[in-house]
């Protein structure tokens, strides 16, 4: 069975905090990796792809460890607008979505 | 935002009735997908299409059928709705083959179905 596992949270953090989400996947043959963001009662949207060398987009940093089958997302200087559910997504054939980690950033 | 519209956005129906959800795109993307999202589960693929009249099953296809007679429309049908099919249904599109490196799906706003 294809599995993508995430800590469901919720993560409740103050503005300005750094928060990290982790994700593990079961299939070592997975091809590609992504983080999606889903706001409450909205559709998911691609946040960023995850590359083997690690990649950064502003306050967001994604890392991949293929040996451990582990993906992470780091958010620095959290904003209120970062409050959402973050979905770890792994591609083997079609995309396999994790259940999501809920983040709530408080003033 | 990608041009994807789902209809209806909300529907309440009774067990045993047929239901059809429609997904319409204006992007001319080749691939279209139907997912369902339930508490405690990730998004789960129901069916997908890789072209007109070309469809395939996903992870949770039992009780669902699809049709794609035009590039822009992908229909999801529940022949006889059951309470276990109460869910939020998302349509998605992509412009590259699934084997490609990009994982960007563009989702519709979702259709909330309640089966009583």
């Amino acid at each position: 069975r294809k599995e993508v596992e995430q800590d469901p949270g919720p993560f409740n953090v103050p503005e300005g905090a750094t928060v990290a989400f982790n994700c593990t996947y079961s299939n070592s043959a997975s091809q590609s990796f992504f983080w999606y963001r889903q706001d409450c009662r909205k559709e998911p949207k691609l946040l960023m792809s995850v590359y083997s060398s690690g990649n950064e987009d502003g306050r967001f940093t994604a890392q991949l460890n293929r040996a451990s089958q582990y993906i992470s997302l780091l958010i620095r200087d959290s904003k209120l607008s970062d409050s959402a559910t973050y979905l770890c997504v792994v591609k083997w054939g079609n995309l396999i979505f994790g259940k999501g980690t809920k983040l709530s950033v408080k003033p | 935002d990608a041009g994807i519209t789902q209809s209806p956005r909300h529907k309440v129906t009774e067990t045993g009735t047929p239901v059809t959800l429609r997904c319409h795109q204006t992007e001319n993307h080749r691939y279209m997908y139907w997912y369902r999202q339930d508490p405690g589960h990730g998004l789960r693929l129901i069916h997908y299409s890789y072209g007109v009249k070309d469809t395939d099953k996903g992870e949770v296809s039992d009780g669902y059928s699809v049709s794609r007679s035009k590039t822009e429309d992908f229909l999801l049908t529940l022949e006889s709705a059951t309470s276990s099919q109460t869910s939020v249904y998302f349509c998605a599109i992509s412009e590259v083959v699934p084997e490609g490196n990009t994982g960007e799906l563009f989702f519709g706003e979702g259709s909330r179905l309640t089966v009583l």
Side-chain angles (χ1 to χ4, degrees):
Chain A
R1 174 163 166 71
K2 302 171 181 176
E3 297 281 351
V4 176
E5 300 290 341
Q6 295 182 250
D7 183 338
F11 284 59
N12 298 309
V13 303
E15 273 188 292
T18 295
V19 61
F21 304 137
N22 302 319
C23 169
T24 59
Y25 59 95
S26 61
N27 191 329
S28 60
S30 299
Q31 303 155 306
S32 309
F33 310 88
F34 311 90
W35 285 100
Y36 274 68
R37 169 191 169 131
Q38 186 173 21
D39 293 317
C40 187
R41 300 179 77 85
K42 297 288 189 180
E43 71 274 20
K45 294 184 178 180
L46 179 66
L47 178 66
M48 60 196 301
S49 300
V50 185
Y51 302 117
S52 296
S53 55
N55 50 297
E56 189 174 305
D57 183 2
R59 298 181 293 107
F60 297 83
T61 300
Q63 302 230 311
L64 166 65
N65 184 322
R66 282 189 183 270
S68 301
Q69 296 180 201
Y70 167 98
I71 306 157
S72 66
L73 177 68
L74 183 76
I75 305 175
R76 292 181 301 277
D77 189 21
S78 299
K79 311 292 185 190
L80 296 176
S81 58
D82 293 335
S83 296
T85 296
Y86 291 83
L87 308 177
C88 176
V89 184
V90 176
K91 182 177 174 65
W92 62 86
N94 289 306
L95 298 184
I96 308 298
F97 286 78
K99 298 175 185 178
T101 298
K102 186 173 182 179
L103 172 66
S104 180
V105 182
K106 306 292 188 184
Chain B
D1 288 344
I4 311 169
T5 54
Q6 293 184 225
S7 59
R9 295 289 314 283
H10 300 273
K11 185 172 181 67
V12 179
T13 192
E14 294 190 348
T15 297
T17 60
V19 175
T20 296
L21 305 180
R22 179 181 183 239
C23 179
H24 178 78
Q25 61 148 329
T26 58
E27 305 295 323
N28 201 36
H29 285 358
R30 181 179 173 191
Y31 284 81
M32 299 186 76
Y33 310 81
W34 277 107
Y35 286 87
R36 63 177 288 175
Q37 188 172 39
D38 305 287
H41 293 274
L43 281 155
R44 292 181 292 175
L45 182 64
I46 305 171
H47 281 279
Y48 66 99
S49 170
Y50 44 95
V52 174
K53 298 188 179 178
D54 291 324
T55 66
D56 206 348
K57 295 179 180 180
E59 178 188 358
V60 290
S61 60
D62 287 349
Y64 301 95
S65 62
V66 290
S67 65
R68 191 165 177 203
S69 59
K70 298 185 289 185
T71 298
E72 57 266 33
D73 289 326
F74 192 32
L75 304 181
L76 176 71
T77 297
L78 290 65
E79 301 290 349
S80 177
T82 67
S83 57
S84 65
Q85 294 177 309
T86 292
S87 187
V88 179
Y89 292 85
F90 285 101
C91 174
I93 64 176
S94 68
E95 62 178 351
V96 295
V97 297
E99 292 75 21
N101 198 39
T102 183
E104 185 155 24
L105 297 182
F106 299 94
F107 285 87
E109 293 180 307
S111 295
R112 191 170 295 270
L113 175 67
T114 301
V115 183
L116 301 176

